[in-house]
């Protein structure tokens, strides 16, 4: 799953690629997109810890430490 935050005009604030993975299965063997009913709500500030580094997502654009 990729997670992104952006303004309504599309200007990005942040983008996390490959943050989580999941699998959706169907008991009736259908195909297509899964769009569960949902609602977003936030109370107070939202804090997200940075993800652990993952070698498979390394683009090689950061200097060696």
């Amino acid at each position: 799953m990729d997670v992104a935050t952006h303004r309504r005009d599309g200007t990005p604030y942040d983008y996390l690629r490959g943050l989580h993975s999941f699998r959706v299965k169907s008991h009736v063997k259908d195909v297509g997109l899964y769009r569960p009913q949902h609602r977003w709500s936030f109370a107070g500030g939202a804090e997200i810890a940075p993800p652990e580094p993952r070698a498979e997502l390394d683009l090689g654009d950061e200097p060696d430490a």
Side-chain angles (χ1 to χ4, degrees):
M1 174 187 299
D2 295 351
V3 178
T5 55
H6 53 84
R7 292 192 332 200
R8 289 182 184 211
D9 68 0
T11 302
Y13 293 123
D14 199 4
Y15 186 82
L16 301 171
R17 181 174 170 230
L19 188 62
H20 294 286
S21 63
F22 64 96
R23 180 172 62 183
V24 177
K25 297 169 91 176
S26 171
H27 294 290
V28 294
K29 307 295 182 202
D30 58 353
V31 295
L33 298 174
Y34 175 63
R35 292 188 181 139
Q37 290 184 344
H38 65 280
R39 178 174 28 141
W40 294 92
S41 64
F42 298 93
E47 292 185 27
I48 300 174
E52 294 294 321
R54 292 175 46 188
E56 68 270 22
L57 300 178
D58 183 16
L59 300 175
D61 57 353
E62 294 188 21
D64 293 334

